[in-house]
Amino acid sequence: MDDASMPRLPAGVRLQEDKVRGGWTLLGPERVFQLDEIAVEILKRCTGEASLAAIEKDLAKTFDAEVDEICGDVREFLTGMVEKGMVVL
Amino acid sequence: MSSPQEAHGSERAIGPPLGLLAELTHRCPLRCPYCSNPLELDRKSSELSTETWKRVLSEAADLGVLQVHLSGGEPTARPDLEEIVRHCRAAGLYSNLITAGVNLPNDRLAGLAEAGLDHVQLSVQAPDPETNDAVSGLAGSFEQKMATAAAMRTLGLPITLNTVVHRRTIGDIERMIQMALDIGARRLEIAHAQYYGWALKNRRSLMPSRAQVEAAAMVVEKARAELKGRLVIDSVVPDYYARYPKPCMGGWARQSLNVTPSGKVLPCHAAETLTDIDFPSVREASLRNIWFDAPAFNLFRGTGWMPEPCRSCERRELDWGGCRCQALAITGDAAAADPACSKSDWHERMVTIAETDARAREDYIYRGGRSIPRNVARKAWHRSDITNS
């Protein structure tokens, strides 16, 4: 995973609002992840059309933070999701 | 309706279910000896109508279900499957089709994809045609499954490869992993046969030895590490040789529920083996009512029902007492600790059953009779000649 990576949700994985429990979930084969607000913002940007660098820049703007402050957490989160097959690069 | 907290005293509140297993039909072209569906199958004439399924699925979404597993039997035997999938999508439900992949023409697959099907679990009995066709009891089924897999790939339908392992196929796991990669699956589900329903009849022909189970676990562990990020491998472990029981369904009526072809609602798909329990029907009550208030759903919920050794066990909220069906099948008491647990008085007896069965002769009993199509029988016999020489 590097600045030029283009993360996206593969076929069979989608974001779904959970109207009963509140918030958003990431659904995949036999998998349900309940997401916090930051995870939702990261995953909404994983469209396959934006580079990781661009996503981080956009997130920094949204959360009024420096890219250096957030990129470690973003990459750690996405690495876990890639290993679980919920995000592809 | 009373609130779940009131209904359950000091127990932790009951959350809504996450998953629904919708058994659309018991009809199936395969006759797998490990089938965990009941001995007595629901007939076509007793199946729920399209409209009732749509109502049940809407109720499930309103209750908090996020994922629906469209299963059977063979769910594609229902001509209204596309309509049911479309309804799932409209209700925000993630739809997962569990299919044998035979008698499934490309235009039906395309229709399912177009209807919004999220994911497919395709079952394969073994990584070679001879064994696959002998185990499934249907000549030519391997070839059909491979054609279905190719068509799914072309349509962009994401695939999990499902396989059930038992004595005859437990040595084939490496080849199944390769097949999963070859057909473009991103997930592989390796389920050791579980001995409920029809499978219990064939336990002597299916049970692997302890050494085979341990070797298989090492193969899976190694592949999981090597294929991280490429292939997700989930396994359903065999518990006859285990130290602790499986947390069956993540606990009785805790995370998911099951609707049978005729509309009975169960906390797990094998629960009809608990013949003393009166399970409710979607024909008579709403899913919400059933989930929170049906006596059958509260019977083994949480930890309050547990006898010793579960009651004082530090693992009681990890494995939830294990499996009620297995407790009944082995001990005769559905409320006993699962005999897979080394703390159960019945554990040694269960291990003895496994060890004895693992040495028994392989002689599958198929639904609808012992005989299998002649060409399949001949091929299967041929293979065992090779293996034995």
Side-chain angles (χ1 to χ4, degrees):
Chain A
M1 189 180 301
D2 56 36
D3 283 357
S5 299
M6 308 280 271
R8 64 182 168 84
L9 307 186
V13 175
R14 63 181 167 90
L15 282 162
Q16 173 70 44
E17 191 178 4
D18 186 340
K19 289 180 181 142
V20 172
R21 298 166 193 81
W24 285 75
T25 58
L26 188 65
L27 304 177
E30 306 273 349
R31 297 285 190 279
V32 174
F33 292 91
Q34 284 165 329
L35 304 170
D36 62 27
E37 188 200 346
I38 295 171
V40 176
E41 291 304 321
I42 297 172
L43 291 168
K44 275 183 178 168
R45 289 166 172 76
C46 293
T47 57
E49 286 166 14
S51 69
L52 184 55
I55 290 171
E56 286 167 347
K57 201 172 160 193
D58 190 32
L59 284 166
K61 198 174 150 198
T62 304
F63 288 101
D64 197 17
E66 297 297 322
V67 169
D68 288 350
E69 288 176 71
I70 63 159
C71 69
D73 288 345
V74 171
R75 290 180 191 210
E76 191 186 328
F77 171 74
L78 286 178
T79 301
M81 285 288 139
V82 169
E83 285 178 359
K84 294 178 180 80
M86 302 296 284
V87 171
V88 288
L89 300 175
Chain B
M1 194 180 78
S2 61
S3 80
Q5 288 90 333
E6 283 164 13
H8 227 54
S10 61
E11 293 265 346
R12 191 176 299 176
I14 305 161
L18 288 166
L20 171 74
L21 182 68
E23 294 181 329
L24 300 179
T25 179
H26 273 156
R27 289 172 283 150
C28 186
L30 305 191
R31 300 189 293 158
C32 306
Y34 54 70
C35 180
S36 58
N37 279 339
L39 299 181
E40 199 63 43
L41 299 177
D42 289 351
R43 290 170 186 282
K44 185 182 177 189
S45 57
S46 71
E47 288 177 7
L48 296 178
S49 67
T50 312
E51 288 314 308
T52 306
W53 273 116
K54 285 160 78 172
R55 191 235 321 147
V56 168
L57 291 163
S58 296
E59 287 178 2
D62 291 344
L63 180 57
V65 166
L66 295 169
Q67 294 190 316
V68 173
H69 308 285
L70 302 165
S71 178
E74 174 51 50
T76 58
R78 296 231 1 174
D80 56 356
L81 183 61
E82 290 83 343
E83 193 175 347
I84 288 170
V85 167
R86 198 168 290 117
H87 192 81
C88 286
R89 176 48 74 110
L93 294 162
Y94 184 101
S95 58
N96 174 36
L97 174 67
I98 303 174
T99 179
V102 300
N103 308 335
L104 196 49
N106 288 358
D107 60 339
R108 276 213 81 191
L109 276 176
L112 289 165
E114 185 270 325
L117 183 64
D118 282 295
H119 181 261
V120 184
Q121 294 188 352
L122 174 67
S123 76
V124 174
Q125 280 63 41
D128 62 88
E130 290 82 0
T131 314
N132 182 88
D133 293 3
V135 172
S136 68
L138 182 67
S141 56
F142 183 84
E143 206 176 321
Q144 287 197 52
K145 285 164 186 282
M146 292 304 103
T148 300
M152 286 172 175
R153 198 175 186 179
T154 305
L155 287 164
L157 280 169
I159 307 172
T160 286
L161 184 64
N162 277 9
T163 192
V164 174
V165 296
H166 43 88
R167 191 157 79 230
R168 181 140 174 203
T169 58
I170 196 166
D172 290 339
I173 291 177
E174 275 170 334
R175 289 198 294 151
M176 286 303 299
I177 292 167
Q178 189 55 50
M179 174 187 281
L181 295 170
D182 291 345
I183 67 168
R186 299 200 64 245
R187 182 170 169 274
L188 170 64
E189 194 172 302
I190 299 170
H192 283 260
Q194 306 286 310
Y195 302 103
Y196 311 109
W198 194 267
L200 192 55
K201 262 185 182 300
N202 278 301
R203 195 176 59 195
R204 289 184 325 136
S205 298
L206 297 169
M207 184 69 76
S209 70
R210 186 187 291 269
Q212 285 176 315
V213 167
E214 285 169 1
M218 284 174 68
V219 170
V220 170
E221 208 174 308
K222 184 166 164 271
R224 228 180 231 154
E226 284 172 4
L227 298 171
K228 201 177 248 185
R230 277 177 72 198
L231 184 69
V232 173
I233 306 177
D234 287 336
S235 59
V236 178
V237 297
D239 54 5
Y240 271 60
Y241 301 113
R243 201 165 152 214
Y244 298 116
K246 57 181 178 267
C248 193
M249 304 305 290
W252 181 270
R254 233 183 112 249
Q255 295 178 343
S256 56
L257 71 175
N258 176 63
V259 178
T260 69
S262 63
K264 273 193 189 169
V265 190
L266 315 173
C268 104
H269 95 283
E272 279 185 294
T273 63
L274 307 171
T275 48
D276 287 347
I277 301 176
D278 189 18
F279 289 105
S281 168
V282 296
R283 297 181 199 269
E284 287 145 24
S286 72
L287 273 193
R288 174 177 296 277
N289 249 289
I290 290 170
W291 178 256
F292 289 113
D293 293 334
F297 276 67
N298 284 312
L299 194 55
F300 300 120
R301 202 170 229 157
T303 56
W305 61 275
M306 289 179 178
E308 292 295 351
C310 301
R311 180 182 288 273
S312 61
C313 180
E314 69 283 0
R315 293 179 57 85
R316 64 183 177 273
E317 290 194 358
L318 291 176
D319 54 40
W320 303 97
C323 171
R324 299 302 88 226
C325 302
Q326 189 147 274
L328 179 71
I330 303 289
T331 76
D333 176 7
D338 185 334
C341 183
S342 53
K343 294 182 179 182
S344 161
D345 291 340
W346 291 78
H347 184 66
E348 275 180 40
R349 193 172 310 193
M350 181 152 162
V351 173
T352 305
I353 289 172
E355 289 171 347
T356 308
D357 281 355
R359 290 191 296 266
R361 196 163 67 93
E362 194 171 283
D363 183 16
Y364 298 145
I365 304 165
Y366 292 89
R367 284 191 197 271
R370 200 174 270 265
S371 65
I372 54 173
R374 231 180 118 190
N375 58 338
V376 175
R378 196 169 56 239
K379 282 179 188 166
W381 184 246
H382 178 64
R383 183 174 181 270
S384 73
D385 279 352
I386 295 168
T387 324
N388 293 339
S389 60

